[in-house]
């Protein structure tokens, strides 16, 4: 735990400027992107105290499947599917000498076994065996404290195929936090979506820069010329900014190149056709969940260091369009298109991160027309860090 505070790292004057109306506000300065100490504080105060996405449930599809993940900037954890088909998350630490129990993905394991001294854990985290503990080769020695030496669980829940964790154990119920998305998606038969494609990769930039790039449309004219226009002929926005508790992002109506050419997600029977609205929104702090008519895209922007992040993205299509032969060409084009968008963003995110090394980047102005969501995001981050 760091002894620093958000005020000491950013400065009281910078925080005051951040909380002004956008016309006179300044965005987060360079320390928020380039300081390892700020990164550690952020992981403690934000990622250690809120629900955050860490993996997808489809990454552990069968009982006995498990993957190692990192929580809150470095806390090692295991995501495992038990024999009862439940997905659980545990601290990835053997209760004997503290070694990592799992260092690479595993499939169909009957137990999770520490490589150091062979301690074995059931898929529900309970301790199963401590071989040679008393010198004898017995499968299940009766240690007096076996019941208390299982893997330590982390509060977790699967929602929308995303594995969320609450390291603090004190965050509000995930259903409450995710309620704005439940309302946003209410007109649609979201249960019809099936996994079509999954990829993961790294970017040489702070995680916040990736979130900011996703939520602001100003750069699209210059970086993503294949995306739809975000202003009409009179210069008016064709999108609507949305902030609703822990959800923030934007919505719009009408077809766009972001949609797949596969069938649209059906509307529920009691909803008129004119309710169809596409959206690109985040669940604070790092989980992006977008709906593009025929396509759902969910991305976890996982912090790895102050200047490095990992993205994990799943694409979902409706019913058989996700896997059948008929729509194979549509899926291939979808993947090609999104890889192009991700590469275009990656190039400018690298430039943004390198620019944050300069003190000049402490004076960042935001466009009142385009970048109100960025200011909202920054204000939420600082307020929650200060409150924590």
């Amino acid at each position: 735990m760091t002894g620093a505070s958000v005020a000491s790292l950013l400065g009281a004057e910078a925080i005051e400027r951040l909380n002004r109306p956008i016309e006179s506000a300044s965005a987060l300065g360079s320390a928020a992107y380039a300081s390892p100490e700020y990164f550690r504080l952020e992981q403690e105060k934000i990622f250690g105290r809120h629900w955050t996405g860490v993996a997808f449930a489809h990454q552990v599809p069968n009982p006995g499947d498990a993957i190692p993940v990192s929580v809150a900037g470095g806390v090692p954890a295991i995501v495992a599917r038990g024999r009862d088909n439940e997905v659980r998350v545990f601290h990835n630490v053997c209760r004997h000498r503290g070694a990592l129990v799992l260092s690479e993905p595993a499939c169909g394991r009957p137990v999770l076994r520490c490589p150091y001294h062979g301690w074995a854990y059931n898929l529900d985290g309970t301790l199963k065996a401590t071989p040679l503990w008393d010198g004898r080769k017995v499968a299940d020695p009766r240690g007096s404290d076996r019941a208390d030496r299982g893997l330590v669980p982390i509060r977790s829940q699967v929602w929308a195929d995303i594995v969320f964790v609450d390291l603090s154990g004190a965050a509000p119920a995930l259903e409450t936090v995710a309620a704005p998305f439940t309302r946003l998606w209410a007109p649609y038969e979201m249960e019809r979506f099936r996994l079509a494609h999954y990829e993961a990769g790294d970017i040489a930039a702070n995680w916040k820069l990736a979130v900011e790039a996703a939520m602001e449309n100003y750069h699209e004219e210059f970086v993503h010329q294949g995306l739809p226009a975000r202003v009409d002929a009179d210069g008016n926005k064709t999108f609507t900014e949305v902030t609703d508790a822990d959800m923030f992002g934007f919505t719009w109506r009408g077809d766009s190149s972001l949609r797949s050419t596969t069938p649209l997600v059906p509307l529920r029977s009691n909803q008129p056709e004119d309710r169809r609205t596409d959206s690109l929104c985040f669940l604070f702090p790092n989980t992006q969940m977008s709906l593009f008519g025929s396509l759902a895209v969910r991305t976890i922007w996982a912090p790895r260091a102050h200047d490095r992040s990992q993205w994990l993205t799943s694409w979902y299509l409706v019913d058989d369009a996700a896997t059948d032969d008929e729509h194979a060409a549509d899926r291939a084009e979808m993947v090609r298109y999104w890889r192009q968008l991700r590469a275009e963003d990656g190039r400018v995110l690298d430039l943004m991160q390198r620019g944050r090394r300069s003190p000049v980047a402490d004076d960042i102005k935001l466009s009142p027309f385009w970048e109100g969501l960025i200011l909202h995001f920054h204000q939420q981050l600082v307020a929650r860090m200060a409150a924590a």
Side-chain angles (χ1 to χ4, degrees), residues 9 44 56 74 137 160 226 244 260 289 294 340 366:
L9 291 172
E44 175 193 338
F56 289 94
K137 258 190 177 176
D244 184 353
S260 168
M289 292 183 281
S294 52
Q340 175 183 322
L366 298 173

Side-chain angles (χ1 to χ4, degrees), residues 313-324:
T313 300
S314 296
W315 289 262
Y316 305 83
L317 296 172
V318 176
D319 295 338
D320 292 341
T323 55
D324 63 17

Side-chain angles (χ1 to χ4, degrees), residues 111-179:
V111 296
L112 301 172
R113 188 179 296 277
C114 176
Y116 196 14
H117 296 99
W119 280 34
Y121 301 88
N122 291 312
L123 297 170
D124 63 3
T126 55
L127 179 61
K128 179 178 177 62
T130 56
L132 294 176
W133 178 254
D134 58 0
R136 293 178 295 171
K137 258 190 177 176
V138 289
D140 189 12
R142 298 290 173 176
S144 61
D145 62 347
R146 270 182 63 239
D148 299 324
R149 305 307 294 175
L151 295 174
V152 176
I154 297 174
R155 185 187 185 199
S156 63
Q157 190 170 333
V158 176
W159 183 79
D161 196 35
I162 300 168
V163 181
F164 287 91
V165 300
D166 166 28
L167 196 62
S168 72
L174 183 58
E175 290 83 358
T176 301
V177 174

Side-chain angles (χ1 to χ4, degrees), residues 339-371:
R339 284 176 177 165
Q340 175 183 322
L341 293 179
R342 192 59 48 87
E344 290 168 351
D345 270 334
R347 287 191 288 270
V348 293
L349 288 173
D350 175 69
L351 299 176
M352 292 279 283
Q353 183 64 40
R354 286 196 274 166
R356 289 308 196 277
R357 299 172 187 169
S358 169
V360 173
D362 285 335
D363 185 17
I364 299 293
K365 298 299 182 185
L366 298 173
S367 163
F369 184 90
W370 293 105
E371 296 173 315

Side-chain angles (χ1 to χ4, degrees), residues 65-69 78-79 92 100-107 109 112:
D65 292 352
I67 57 172
V69 298
I78 297 171
V79 176
N92 189 2
L100 293 186
V101 174
L102 189 70
S103 58
E104 57 187 23
C107 296
R109 292 273 184 90
L112 301 172

Side-chain angles (χ1 to χ4, degrees), residues 59-86:
Q59 293 179 262
V60 287
N62 303 306
D65 292 352
I67 57 172
V69 298
S70 178
V71 179
V75 176
I78 297 171
V79 176
R81 188 178 291 272
R83 296 188 182 282
D84 57 1
N85 211 37
E86 288 294 315

